Amino acid sequence: MAVNVHDLDLPYLDLLNAQTREERRQLVEEVRKADHWLVRTPGGYMITSYDDSVALLRDRRFHQFAAKLAELAGEENAAFFEERRASILTTEGDAHGRLRRIVAPAFTPKAADRLRPSMREVMNRLLDPHVAEGHLELVGDVCDPYPIPIVCRLLGAPEEDWKLFSRWAGDLLRIFNFNFTEDLPIIAAAQNEVGAYVREMIERRRTEPADDLLTDLIAAEEAGDRLSTEELESMAIAVLIAGTDTTRNQLGCSVALFMEHPDQWALLVERPELAPRAVEESMRYLGAINGTARFASEDVEYRGVLFPKDTAVSTSFIAANRDEHVFTDPTTLDITRESAAPHLTFGSGIHFCLGAWLARAELQEALPILARRLPGLRLDGAIEWKPNTVGIWGPAHLPLKFGAA
Ligand code: HEM
C-alpha cells in the first residue's frame, strides 16, 4: 500500500537559506548519500537522484508545472492566459506529440549545422572590437548578444531587426519573474508584436520559400497535418523564450567554469576538437538550469509513495548531474570524460529540449573561437553570479583578460 507523500517524514532542506549554488548542491548531495531520493524544500517536494529525476520526467502522468502559471497568476490575470493558445512548452499527451512530430525535422543536428557559419560570424563580430584591448566583460559583451542574431537567422528575420527581437525576448522572459500584475501587459504587447511580425513573414514565405525555420515549419507535414498560422506564431515565441536566455547563461557558466579550471581550458586550447565533449561536461558540471517541475495530473504511485492529483514535484538538475551512482568521480571536471549517461541540463522525456542540437552547436562554435582569438584567457577580477534562486542561472559579471596584459 503506497504511503501518501504528505504523511511521509521527509528531510527538510532550507535551500533558500543556502548562500551559494554550490552550498545548495551539497545540501542535496548529503541527503541523497543518506539514501533519501525525495525531500521537502521551501518550494515543495524535490527529487535528489538522477534515476528518479529521469523517471519523473519520463512519466506521462506528471505534467509540465509551467502549465499552472495561469493558476498562479490569479483570477485577475485569467484573461491573459485564456486568450492564448497553449505552447509546445505546456501542452501534453497527443496534442504535444503532434506538435513535436511536425517540428522535429526542423531541429535535427543537420538543421543546426546549417547555422554554424552564422554562429561563427556572429561570435567573431562580437569579439572584433575587443581583441586589441586585452580585456572584456564576457556577459555583456558576448553572452547576452550572442543568441539573438542566431534566433533571427533561424527564423529568417533580417539583420536590421535584431534589436527588435532582443527587446521582445527580454519582455517575453518576464513571464518567469512571477510579477504578473506589472509584467503581463508588457508580455502581452511583446506577444502581439511578435505575432504580427511572424504572420507577415509567414505570408511572404508561403510565396517565396527561403532557407530558414519558418519555411521548414510551413512545409513540415506529418500525415497531411500542418501547423496553423497561430501555431507557427506560438512556435516562434516558444523559440524566442526557450532559446535565448538559456544559451547566453550556459555560455557564461561554461566559460566561468573553465576560468576556474585553467588546466581544462588549456586542454581545449590545445585540442579544439574536444569542444563537443567540453560542452557536455561543462553543462553537466555547471548547467544554467537549476531543474524543472511537474505536477501529478492524477493520483500517481511511484516507489511506494502516493502523489495525490495536483501535487507539485521538482527535480534538481544541479544535484542529479553530480549523482555518484551515475557519474564516476562526479565532482571532477574532465572534458575527456566518456559518460554513458547524458547530463540532465536539457531535461528528459517528452519535453526534452527541442533546441538541444542548436544550443550545442552554438556552444561548440563559441568555445574554440574564444580559445583561439583570446590567447591566455583568464579572470580579471571576481565573477559575480546571479542570485541562486533564479531558474535560468549564470554569471552576472565575468571580467576577463587575455594576451600579455
Ligand atoms: C544551453 C541552452 C539550452 C538549455 C540549457 C535548454 C534547456 C531546456 C530544458 C531543461 C528544457 C525542458 C524543460 C522542462 O522539461 O521543463 C527545454 C525545453 C525546450 N527548449 Fe531548450 N534549452 C536550451 C536552448 C534552447 C534553444 C536554442 C531552443 C530553440 C531554438 C530551445 C527550445 C526549447 C523548446 C521549444 C523547449 C520545449 C520543448 C517541449 O516542451 O516539448 N532551447 N530546454
Side-chain angles (χ1 to χ4, degrees):
M1 208 12 214
V3 184
N4 190 313
V5 68
H6 304 317
D7 299 331
L8 279 176
D9 184 18
L10 297 171
Y12 179 78
L13 297 189
D14 190 2
L15 297 181
L16 288 181
N17 254 338
Q19 294 298 313
T20 62
R21 204 189 198 222
E22 179 56 16
E23 215 175 278
R24 261 179 116 172
R25 192 193 65 73
Q26 282 173 2
L27 281 174
V28 185
E29 186 180 278
E30 261 169 46
V31 287
R32 184 181 59 231
K33 284 188 171 161
D35 266 350
H36 291 288
W37 62 274
L38 186 66
V39 294
R40 277 196 181 85
T41 74
Y45 299 107
M46 194 180 85
I47 290 179
T48 65
S49 70
Y50 182 99
D51 287 345
D52 295 302
S53 300
V54 170
L56 173 100
L57 295 174
R58 291 193 179 165
D59 189 329
R60 288 171 176 243
R61 296 169 300 174
F62 283 102
H63 289 182
Q64 184 56 274
F65 188 72
K68 293 258 182 201
L69 276 180
E71 266 173 50
L72 293 175
E75 247 173 59
E76 66 278 21
N77 296 309
F80 172 89
F81 292 95
E82 275 159 21
E83 285 160 13
R84 276 157 188 87
R85 172 182 277 278
S87 94
I88 193 165
L89 298 150
T90 50
T91 41
E92 302 288 340
D94 292 346
H96 180 263
R98 168 182 168 267
L99 285 178
R100 282 292 291 220
R101 275 194 306 276
I102 298 178
V103 303
F107 288 94
T108 57
K110 211 167 143 209
D113 285 347
R114 275 197 315 206
L115 282 162
R116 284 184 188 260
S118 295
M119 295 168 189
R120 292 194 281 270
E121 187 197 316
V122 173
M123 181 50 67
N124 276 313
R125 188 150 28 107
L126 290 171
L127 294 185
D128 283 342
H130 305 285
V131 280
E133 288 173 359
H135 59 88
L136 52 70
E137 194 286 292
L138 196 86
V139 175
D141 293 337
V142 178
C143 299
D144 282 355
Y146 181 51
I148 301 281
I150 296 164
V151 164
C152 285
R153 295 253 170 109
L154 172 77
L155 292 171
E159 185 151 337
E160 61 270 20
D161 291 341
W162 290 359
K163 288 229 160 65
L164 209 53
F165 272 78
S166 187
R167 178 170 65 76
W168 288 333
D171 288 351
L172 293 171
L173 283 163
R174 284 171 179 252
I175 193 83
F176 298 115
N177 292 353
F178 296 94
N179 192 358
F180 297 110
T181 309
E182 198 177 300
D183 287 342
L184 286 184
I186 300 169
I187 297 165
Q191 285 186 343
N192 292 340
E193 285 178 45
V194 183
Y197 186 100
V198 172
R199 271 197 304 281
E200 213 187 292
M201 277 177 68
I202 294 166
E203 275 319 303
R204 247 179 294 138
R205 291 292 180 277
R206 287 200 203 276
T207 48
E208 292 167 40
D211 187 16
D212 57 39
L213 177 74
L214 274 188
T215 305
D216 285 359
L217 291 182
I218 291 168
E221 228 178 332
E222 219 265 326
D225 190 6
R226 278 172 191 251
L227 292 185
S228 66
T229 301
E230 228 189 1
E231 286 170 331
L232 283 166
E233 268 175 60
S234 165
M235 270 308 297
I237 290 174
V239 162
L240 254 185
I241 292 184
T244 50
D245 219 31
T246 45
T247 311
R248 56 165 72 113
N249 277 288
Q250 186 59 56
L251 180 59
C253 282
S254 296
V255 176
L257 183 64
F258 284 120
M259 295 303 102
E260 288 174 339
H261 294 79
D263 60 316
Q264 294 295 300
W265 183 248
L267 189 57
L268 181 64
V269 171
E270 197 187 312
R271 296 177 56 194
E273 72 279 7
L274 286 175
R277 287 221 202 142
V279 167
E280 299 310 306
E281 177 66 346
S282 61
M283 290 189 73
R284 178 190 74 81
Y285 199 97
L286 199 69
I289 314 257
N290 289 331
T292 185
R294 298 289 185 264
F295 69 92
S297 66
E298 56 186 86
D299 285 357
V300 177
E301 277 187 37
Y302 176 74
R303 286 191 70 171
V305 178
L306 169 70
F307 294 90
K309 185 173 184 299
D310 283 330
T311 307
V313 192
S314 65
T315 56
S316 167
F317 296 164
I318 313 173
N321 280 339
R322 303 237 208 134
D323 186 334
E324 56 288 344
H325 297 106
V326 176
F327 300 101
T328 320
D329 215 355
T331 51
T332 300
L333 179 77
D334 175 6
I335 64 168
T336 62
R337 179 185 290 275
E338 285 183 46
S339 171
H343 61 73
L344 290 190
T345 307
F346 285 126
S348 185
I350 63 162
H351 290 285
F352 180 82
C353 179
L354 182 67
W357 288 109
L358 189 76
R360 285 186 171 118
E362 287 180 67
L363 298 163
Q364 290 166 2
E365 293 300 333
L367 292 181
I369 295 178
L370 291 169
R372 184 172 47 79
R373 293 200 68 193
L374 312 178
L377 191 64
R378 57 205 184 275
L379 286 174
D380 187 20
I383 307 172
E384 247 173 62
W385 295 96
K386 292 181 177 158
N388 70 40
T389 43
V390 299
I392 305 178
W393 177 89
H397 190 70
L398 181 50
L400 298 176
K401 59 182 168 183
F402 44 93

